[in-house]
Amino acid sequence: MWLDAGFAVVEVNYRGSTGYGSAWRDAIEGRPGLTELEDVAAVHDWAVSSGLADPQRCVVSGASWGGYLTLLALGTQPGRWTAGVAAVPVADYVAAYEDEMEQLRSFDRALFGGAPEDVPEVYRECSPLTYLDNVDVPVLVLAGDNDPRCPIRQIENYLDGLAERGTAHAFYRYDAGHGSLVISETITQTAIEVHFAMRSVGLA
């Protein structure tokens, strides 16, 4: 659908993913989000320099961890992105830790080097909420009311921050959890994402 709408789509296999050994997989420990975005920036530079991407029309998009990286990219890489589309993201990492399921708290402690009270500066540095003042492009967020992985309260905190700053944004909220298994809902959400991106880059 993105291709049919006129977008070139690039999916970045950044550090933290599997397939390149344990050092590659574990490279994000202690600095999650920011490490992956170094790789995203390198790919963005390539896409622009190769002529694949128009630097004035680059949309960063993702879901779950990709949604987290999308919001973090908008705040830490201003000037690279024309808009952001984040589905079921982590937006306020401390609030997310407080509300998420226990298995994910254990994962986060391993990833960050402790709980928020143990390493507060790491959570602050790696949380999209920290960089709200830098977000100056339109943002679309999609989230479910009953998400145990990326709970709704921490997303609302981020959206409230955008509203306070007068940053253009849209919010699609649905009655499900971490995504939807209903095909019609998936189609609806994808259409909302693509049309938002098209409007943001002047294609609609």
Side-chain angles (χ1 to χ4, degrees):
M1 188 171 181
W2 286 89
L3 292 171
D4 288 344
F7 290 93
V9 177
V10 179
E11 296 185 352
V12 183
N13 193 5
Y14 42 71
R15 281 171 288 173
S17 61
T18 58
Y20 291 97
S22 59
W24 177 272
R25 181 197 64 209
D26 298 337
I28 68 172
E29 291 183 1
R31 196 170 177 266
L34 298 172
T35 302
E36 300 95 296
L37 288 179
E38 290 176 358
D39 298 342
V40 171
V43 173
H44 175 270
D45 290 343
W46 163 81
V48 170
S49 64
S50 69
L52 177 67
D54 179 346
Q56 304 303 316
R57 290 180 164 185
C58 289
V59 177
V60 59
S61 175
S64 193
W65 194 258
Y68 160 60
L69 292 180
T70 292
L71 298 182
L72 194 60
L74 294 176
T76 62
Q77 300 176 341
R80 285 189 180 274
W81 310 108
T82 307
V85 176
V88 292
V90 175
D92 173 354
Y93 225 117
V94 173
Y97 181 89
E98 292 171 352
D99 295 350
E100 69 192 8
M101 50 204 272
E102 178 54 39
Q103 295 94 321
L104 281 180
R105 289 183 190 169
S106 298
F107 175 79
D108 284 341
R109 288 192 293 271
L111 192 60
F112 282 78
E117 58 269 25
D118 302 321
V119 286
E121 282 304 306
V122 180
Y123 279 83
R124 186 197 66 79
E125 185 183 17
C126 298
S127 178
L129 188 72
T130 302
Y131 305 97
L132 274 173
D133 287 339
N134 297 336
V135 180
D136 58 0
V137 297
V139 186
L140 168 65
V141 176
L142 305 91
D145 278 320
N146 305 298
D147 190 342
R149 299 183 185 182
C150 299
I152 195 70
R153 179 174 71 94
Q154 52 94 24
I155 293 172
E156 291 174 332
N157 291 346
Y158 185 88
L159 293 169
D160 288 345
L162 292 180
E164 290 172 5
R165 290 160 176 78
T167 306
H169 65 283
F171 183 31
Y172 179 78
R173 184 170 183 161
Y174 56 93
D175 184 19
H178 197 65
S180 175
L181 298 177
V182 179
I183 293 175
S184 60
E185 178 64 24
T186 301
I187 292 171
T188 295
Q189 292 184 23
T190 305
I192 288 171
E193 293 176 3
V194 172
H195 291 152
F196 177 87
M198 290 176 69
R199 292 191 300 273
S200 298
V201 302
L203 291 178

